Amino acid sequence: MPDGSNVIVRPARSVRGAVRIPGDKSISHRYAMLAAIAEGTSRFQNFSAARDCASTLDCVAKLGCEWKRLRLKDEDDDGAIEVRGVGPRLNAPAEMLDCGNSGSTMRMLSGILAGQPFLTELFGDESLSRRPMARVMTPLSEMGARIEAAEGARPPLKIHGGPLKPIHYRPEVASAQVKSCVLFAGLFAVGETVVEEPIRTRDHGEIALRAFGAEVERTGNASRIVGGQRLRAIEAHVPGDLSSAAFFLCAAALFPGSQITLPGILMNPTRARLLDILMQMGLKVSVAHLEEHQGELVGSIEARGAGWKGAVIAGSDTAALIDEIPVLAAVAPYSDGGLEFRDAKELRVKESDRIAAVAANLRRMGAEVEERPDGLRIPGGQHLHGAELDSFGDHRIAMAFAVAALRAEGETTIHGADAAGVSYPTFFEELEKVAGR
């Protein structure tokens, strides 16, 4: 199936089997960063194998935090790592920090670096260098850090850290990355820092901070942290990434009678709205073996394909499903009623312009689609054909259209498919295993 940077996807008749999804990216990033400023050595199983999370580990290593991979006895787990924290005072890096393609690394790590008494320079690849950083520069500057950036508040960044003051920050755009960035910076401020969101976003930052021993309060859409708290090392198992699981759930939804089992998946309420939407659209979903790991809910998902109805996704649902919208949009033409996505302007400034990328690839497959400034309208009941598609250097676009291609007529070639490694290096191999032909 894979051929260098290109992948050929052939039509399937069903999707059936079990897939063990890699560790959640969002949690893995935050665990690595907080482990770096904790006292003691943290151990994580099922740590994400994504290139983005490798960028975070590379950065914390350059800040003086040693980490290594572990081979655990009697464990079928090659995603175990150990991070030796150095406490709240990191070491000044001898070189610039390479964040690769990871906006999560650059934005959230900036909050920690803003409280360090030295200059840090961060840069990324061509895609990351186009992404806006004003959303973290503004609150960190208000807290007392001095940050320099390229034209348009884009990377590379120079962060002149030092003593910080607490703020009550109300971001214009709901962003879990921005919230985590400011809360992380709040650890180094004297007093209480508050982030009050317009719409509630995923709360992995707050949960991770509590796991490492910090007190974080939440009232409504406001999260509060008092500076000066010391973090302690933890041991944790990272749940399977629900955003990665979404590709297999949508694949199952394409074929009535399909069945997919996904053990050990993150079931955080701020992320699990995806399951509600999929069930409303007709996918049969059951969850078993619910447990709590370091404050995060984890469960096993079984999904069966049935009817596939349309939906309108807007407002808080858009914020909750921002990472899953590309795959939902890619399979929308196969639904009975089509899908409409509103309030999704944030997708314009991801690894690619995901609204434009989805529209372009769907049209190449013969679909009718209406592109709007903040979303898409995709009629249902359409028949797509295989085509030459572009990943646009975006992991979620590459994977989304591999799923869409399963029900198209004829072969589909996805160019630049190696972009999937940013979040899910083995995705195409796992998809091929469960695609029945």
Side-chain angles (χ1 to χ4, degrees):
M1 193 174 180
D3 177 19
S5 64
N6 300 333
V7 164
I8 296 173
V9 183
R10 297 176 178 86
R13 292 180 297 175
S14 67
V15 171
R16 185 170 294 272
V19 181
R20 186 165 293 280
I21 302 294
D24 185 81
K25 274 181 59 188
S26 296
I27 295 174
S28 295
H29 280 301
R30 289 164 172 83
Y31 277 179
M33 293 178 196
L34 295 180
I37 56 173
E39 296 171 350
T41 299
S42 295
R43 284 189 170 193
F44 308 117
Q45 294 182 46
N46 201 38
F47 190 88
S48 174
R51 285 203 297 265
D52 275 2
C53 294
S55 293
T56 290
L57 289 172
D58 182 63
C59 287
V60 300
K62 288 183 170 62
L63 293 163
C65 303
E66 296 180 5
W67 72 272
K68 64 182 180 181
R69 300 198 181 278
L70 303 175
R71 297 296 291 182
L72 303 181
K73 294 181 180 179
D74 302 321
E75 291 279 354
D76 182 19
D77 181 5
D78 58 358
I81 69 166
E82 183 177 274
V83 181
R84 184 176 300 173
V86 296
R89 177 74 177 266
L90 297 170
N91 297 334
E95 57 187 292
M96 295 177 68
L97 302 185
D98 184 358
C99 299
N101 186 249
S102 179
S104 296
T105 303
M106 184 170 286
R107 290 187 178 121
M108 293 191 292
L109 190 58
S110 291
I112 293 172
L113 295 173
Q116 303 298 316
F118 49 73
L119 167 67
T120 314
E121 298 184 58
L122 302 94
F123 72 103
D125 65 11
E126 183 180 355
S127 172
L128 182 55
S129 298
R130 295 192 298 266
R131 299 180 69 181
M133 292 296 146
R135 59 187 59 183
V136 295
M137 293 173 62
T138 298
L140 294 180
S141 296
E142 289 181 16
M143 296 180 80
R146 184 163 63 87
I147 305 177
E148 303 173 52
E151 185 178 355
R154 302 185 191 281
L157 301 183
K158 290 184 179 181
I159 300 177
H160 302 263
L164 301 179
K165 60 183 180 182
I167 61 172
H168 188 130
Y169 189 62
R170 297 179 176 87
E172 294 182 5
V173 178
S175 168
Q177 292 178 8
V178 172
K179 177 174 59 175
S180 290
C181 167
V182 177
L183 292 176
F184 290 177
L187 285 171
F188 302 93
V190 179
E192 183 182 71
T193 295
V194 182
V195 183
E196 188 173 350
E197 303 179 283
I199 298 174
R200 186 181 181 186
T201 63
R202 57 185 64 176
D203 58 359
H204 302 307
E206 296 98 308
I207 291 174
L209 282 162
R210 292 190 192 104
F212 279 87
E215 292 186 6
V216 183
E217 294 184 7
R218 185 173 189 95
T219 306
N221 287 350
S223 296
R224 294 174 163 80
I225 191 167
V226 174
Q229 300 185 65
R230 308 281 287 198
L231 306 184
R232 60 176 183 271
I234 65 170
E235 293 192 8
H237 187 285
V238 181
D241 192 325
L242 183 57
S243 295
S244 295
F247 298 102
F248 295 94
L249 294 171
C250 286
L254 292 180
F255 305 99
S258 287
Q259 184 173 343
I260 198 83
T261 302
L262 308 170
I265 301 297
L266 176 70
M267 297 298 296
N268 182 300
T270 64
R271 296 280 292 281
R273 179 60 177 155
L274 169 68
L275 299 181
D276 296 333
I277 295 294
L278 290 174
M279 286 189 285
Q280 289 173 19
M281 295 177 67
L283 186 67
K284 305 298 182 183
V285 177
S286 61
V287 179
H289 310 300
L290 272 177
E291 300 176 343
E292 186 176 302
H293 295 172
Q294 293 288 6
E296 294 281 8
L297 276 179
V298 183
S300 295
I301 298 174
E302 183 175 295
R304 291 178 288 113
W308 188 229
K309 298 176 288 188
V312 175
I313 296 174
S316 60
D317 281 345
T318 298
L321 273 65
I322 200 70
D323 287 339
E324 292 79 45
I325 286 176
V327 67
L328 289 169
V331 299
Y334 302 118
S335 66
D336 290 337
L339 272 79
E340 185 174 344
F341 302 93
R342 304 172 185 165
D343 309 312
K345 190 176 181 180
E346 174 73 6
L347 291 176
R348 296 282 188 187
V349 290
K350 292 290 187 178
E351 285 84 337
S352 67
D353 179 339
R354 287 179 175 164
I355 292 175
V358 166
N361 278 343
L362 282 177
R363 289 181 181 128
R364 290 172 188 172
M365 298 179 80
E368 176 187 346
V369 54
E370 179 186 345
E371 180 180 345
R372 298 171 176 172
D374 70 338
L376 296 157
R377 188 184 71 83
I378 305 165
Q382 301 191 62
H383 298 279
L384 306 189
H385 57 73
E388 300 278 331
L389 304 181
D390 192 342
S391 74
F392 295 90
D394 189 324
H395 57 123
R396 297 202 191 279
I397 297 299
M399 294 186 284
F401 281 91
V403 174
L406 292 177
R407 194 166 148 177
E409 296 180 5
E411 293 183 351
T412 295
T413 300
I414 300 174
H415 297 277
D418 54 348
V422 164
S423 63
Y424 199 157
T426 61
F427 171 76
F428 292 105
E429 289 84 353
E430 296 292 347
L431 188 65
E432 180 72 4
K433 289 177 185 177
V434 297
R437 295 187 170 88

